[in-house]
Each structure stands twice: as C-alpha cells, then as structure tokens.
Amino acid sequence: MNRKKIGIALGSGGAKGFAHVGVLKALEEHHIPVDLVSGSSMGSLVGAFYATGMRPDFMDRLARSLTWRHWVDVTVPRVGLVAGKKIHDMVTLLTRGTEFAQIDMPLAIVATELLSKRLVTFTSGRISDAVRASISIPGVFVPYVREDGVYVDGGVMERVPVAAARDLGADVVIAVDVAAFMKHEVPGTMMDVIMMSLDAMTDQLVQQRLPTADLCITPNLSDIGTSQFSRAAEAIEIGYQTTLSLMSKIRELVGLPQTDSVGEEQVEDS
C-alpha cells in the first residue's frame, strides 16, 4: 500500500532556526517519516544536515557546543560584516562535501539571486555551496558570489519554502515558521534590525503562501533574538514541545494511528 510522501519545509529566522532541530527530534521520536526536505536560510543549514544523515540528537549536541568563534569570521565591513568562509568550510566538513545527487533524501535549498532579483532553488551541485548562498543575510554576511550569480539569504524572497517541497514531490507538506511570533520591542543588535526588517517586508507574502502547506508548526520564539545563538538549547526545546503539542494532528495528517502518552498505538475497546 502506497503511503503519502511527506516533506518538511524549514524556514529562516537566524538563531530561532535552532527550533527546527527540536521539530525534527519530535517527529523522529514519534516515527513520523520525512521523505524530503526544503530549507531557507537557517532552515537550509538544518535541512542540509538532516538530509545528509545527521540525526537530530547529534544536531542538538552540536548546537549546544558551538560558539560564534566556530563560524564567524569578521571582515572589513564593505558588503557584509562576516566573510562566510568559516561557516562554509564547517558546513562542507559536516556534510562531507556531499552533492545533492549523492544523497538518498531529496533536498531543496532556496536563495535570492540579487542581479536578476529572483528566487533560486538549488537541487544540484555541492550542498554546502547552496547553504552558504541561502544563509547570506544581507548586511551581515558577504554575499555568495559565483559565475551564475550573486546570492543572498533565501528569506529575502521565501521565508518558508513550501513550494520547493511540493516541487520535490511531497504529497503532504509540514511547514515550520520560526519567525511567526515577534517581540514588540526595540531590536538589540544589527542582525535583529535586519531580520525584523526582512520579516516585515515578506510577511504579507508569507501569509499568502503558508496556507498552501498542509500543516504549519509555529513555535513561539518571540523571546529569543535572531542573533542569540547561545540560546540554541532553549530554541530546540520550544520547537520540540510545540511539535509534541501538534502530534495528534500530524499523525492524522500523514495517516498514522494515534498514540497514548507513552507512544503506544491506541487499541479500541472491543
């Protein structure tokens, strides 16, 4: 019997995106199959790790152990504050330099090409290159430049890449929007200003496209700033708990039997 093909679309949001790890952890613990993944910005990073075989528990430990010194290489602020080579090298190492064609799980990563002002979906080439393009927050990261274009953050045009998951062949798309809840206060860092501005510019488009997902998980991360990478553990836990609260709906959506509190299938009274 053929089951529905399930895709998960992981959105942008800076440090808030660590919640994606908690979402994947909850899905895995409850045996919800994920057949394909699409990602934008921070969602592309988590999605790339997942699609290349990294388990959520390992991602959790990795997120808790990394500091900004592992991935930030400050440069002379000309077109960006962070050169991006450190994180590019780190992602290449952790994905083993894998190309899209070499992995079993279909993966799509979105980025914005500045010169043509269009959304680009990467499904071929080296995965770490696509991630480097997708995470290039304007004004924070130096844009990723190569022969076919100048790339900045996928969230500039597609905060949550639902369409990309559909294009990969998903019958059911579970979207994760980590930027759905914003705290109404003065931003504390340059990155917060930039990310809040991007969210404001794209919010109307997001509201039009998110309903095309079959389910949207929206962890309330309003208390965590987009630049607060030291709060990874909190973001992961919020993503995890939010997904658990929706597990009944998720199981129904993907056609799996409901479970009780310890994860055993419910048995109807005879």
Side-chain angles (χ1 to χ4, degrees), residues 10-269:
L10 305 177
S12 64
K16 296 173 187 284
F18 281 120
H20 294 313
V21 177
V23 172
L24 292 170
K25 188 175 179 181
L27 294 176
E28 187 172 89
E29 285 182 0
H30 285 259
H31 310 292
I32 306 298
V34 175
D35 299 296
L36 57 91
V37 61
S38 64
S40 178
S41 195
M42 188 63 173
S44 78
L45 182 69
V46 175
F49 288 161
Y50 188 69
T52 54
M54 190 183 292
R55 302 274 47 89
D57 279 343
F58 183 84
M59 284 189 239
D60 189 336
R61 295 195 297 274
L62 183 67
R64 293 168 191 262
S65 63
L66 289 177
T67 68
W68 66 272
R69 293 180 182 85
H70 290 102
W71 59 272
V72 170
D73 43 2
V74 178
T75 186
V76 177
R78 205 171 142 205
V79 290
L81 298 173
V82 179
K85 186 178 185 304
K86 261 192 178 183
I87 193 166
H88 194 179
D89 290 345
M90 184 183 75
V91 176
T92 300
L93 176 67
L94 291 172
T95 59
R96 304 176 298 281
T98 306
E99 298 199 356
F100 285 86
Q102 296 174 303
I103 59 176
D104 294 328
M105 178 176 287
L107 170 68
I109 290 173
V110 301
T112 302
E113 204 288 300
L114 274 183
L115 302 183
S116 61
K117 301 176 184 177
R118 65 191 174 95
L119 183 72
V120 173
T121 302
F122 290 95
T123 56
S124 63
R126 197 165 67 163
I127 292 170
S128 60
D129 294 347
V131 172
R132 171 63 180 89
S134 186
I135 63 172
S136 301
I137 303 167
V140 177
F141 281 90
V142 171
Y144 184 53
V145 182
R146 55 189 217 174
E147 288 183 3
D148 60 351
V150 178
Y151 295 94
V152 295
D153 199 283
V156 170
M157 297 190 74
E158 190 79 290
R159 192 165 87 198
V160 186
V162 176
R166 293 281 186 208
D167 290 343
L168 285 179
D171 300 309
V172 173
V173 176
I174 299 172
V176 187
D177 185 7
V178 297
F181 295 94
M182 299 298 292
K183 196 172 225 181
H184 298 290
E185 64 178 24
V186 177
T189 67
M190 179 189 295
M191 185 171 174
D192 289 337
V193 172
I194 292 169
M195 292 298 291
M196 288 175 70
S197 299
L198 288 176
D199 289 339
M201 288 188 294
T202 61
D203 198 57
Q204 188 172 359
L205 188 58
V206 170
Q207 296 310 314
Q208 291 173 356
R209 292 182 178 174
L210 267 186
T212 64
D214 297 281
L215 177 72
C216 188
I217 299 173
T218 54
N220 189 341
L221 299 150
S222 59
D223 191 47
I224 297 177
T226 53
S227 61
Q228 292 183 312
F229 290 90
S230 62
R231 298 179 68 183
E234 293 172 67
I236 291 169
E237 182 63 17
I238 291 169
Y240 178 76
Q241 293 297 336
T242 303
T243 306
L244 288 185
S245 72
L246 294 168
M247 195 54 66
S248 225
K249 288 183 180 178
I250 294 171
R251 296 187 71 86
E252 180 181 2
L253 180 65
V254 302
L256 292 175
Q258 297 301 321
T259 61
D260 61 21
S261 60
V262 294
E264 299 295 334
E265 291 185 5
Q266 291 178 344
V267 180
E268 295 182 0
D269 293 334

